[in-house]
Amino acid sequence: GFLWTGSWYGGLSCFDKTEGQFIKSYRHAPNDSNSITSNHVNVIHERRDGRFWVGTSNGLSLFDPETEKFKHFTEKDGLPNSYVNGILEDDKQRLWISTEKGLSLFNPETGVFRNYDISDGLHSNQFARESYTKGSSGEFFFGGMNGFSYFYPERVKNNPYIPSIHITDFQL
């Protein structure tokens, strides 16, 4: 037994429950692209394979305890905002990530993000830290500044229809 913890300033740490002490800490190192993206850890989600998704104030990181390396995802990779507040994993092993500027569906297999915001029916674009859960019947809840949004992830469908553009007036 190990317990993985994250803090606002201390990065990611590993606590050995048998020894009763912290045995390793992972902190951001500006010159090391394999270090955690930020020491401000908001959320840790353990994958089925033992690796971790770590949401920080500067993006999403995939941490592999065996190699002790982090792979990073930020706004430049497709996140709507790099301040990650919550992570839930659906039955297809996709991640639903709440941020300060909307909700993102991330497919780890393809590395592709699909972002949702208030125009897609969310209650707000700004979500709150530590305000997310999976309900007993499988629905996901993400809380924010103006209430919460909830949905069944398997029922979310993208609209493939691209409307045609019609110019109805032109003035010079």
Side-chain angles (χ1 to χ4, degrees):
F2 298 109
L3 176 65
W4 291 90
T5 65
S7 70
W8 273 36
Y9 302 106
L12 181 69
S13 299
C14 181
F15 183 80
D16 186 327
K17 293 189 282 186
T18 306
E19 297 293 323
Q21 63 184 356
F22 284 95
I23 58 170
K24 189 77 175 177
S25 289
Y26 301 90
R27 297 181 56 83
H28 176 68
N31 297 325
D32 182 0
S33 63
N34 293 313
S35 72
I36 193 167
T37 58
S38 169
N39 291 328
H40 185 157
V41 174
N42 293 329
V43 58
I44 303 169
H45 174 76
E46 185 174 5
R47 291 175 38 138
R48 293 179 186 138
D49 65 4
R51 295 185 292 169
F52 296 90
W53 290 107
V54 182
T56 73
S57 63
N58 194 30
L60 177 69
S61 293
L62 175 60
F63 175 63
D64 187 340
E66 289 185 20
T67 64
E68 296 187 328
K69 293 183 179 181
F70 293 83
K71 181 177 180 181
H72 310 294
F73 301 91
T74 63
E75 289 177 55
K76 67 181 178 185
D77 300 301
L79 268 172
N81 178 260
S82 290
Y83 201 100
V84 176
N85 286 316
I87 301 171
L88 290 174
E89 185 175 357
D90 66 18
D91 292 338
K92 295 179 182 176
Q93 297 182 339
R94 301 174 304 176
L95 301 179
W96 293 85
I97 303 162
S98 61
T99 73
E100 297 282 308
K101 290 187 179 175
L103 189 66
S104 190
L105 170 60
F106 177 62
N107 184 332
E109 298 301 316
T110 63
V112 174
F113 289 89
R114 166 66 169 101
N115 298 320
Y116 300 90
D117 60 27
I118 202 165
S119 68
D120 296 301
L122 296 178
H123 77 283
S124 171
N125 287 338
Q126 188 173 5
F127 288 90
R129 191 172 41 83
E130 300 175 10
S131 183
Y132 61 95
T133 191
K134 181 177 181 179
S136 59
S137 60
E139 67 271 40
F140 285 4
F141 294 88
F142 289 93
M145 301 303 116
N146 299 320
F148 64 92
S149 295
Y150 70 97
F151 57 92
Y152 292 90
E154 68 278 1
R155 295 183 189 171
V156 175
K157 306 287 185 230
N158 289 328
N159 184 353
Y161 176 72
I162 300 172
S164 57
I165 298 174
H166 297 277
I167 299 174
T168 58
D169 189 17
F170 180 80
Q171 295 181 3
L172 183 62

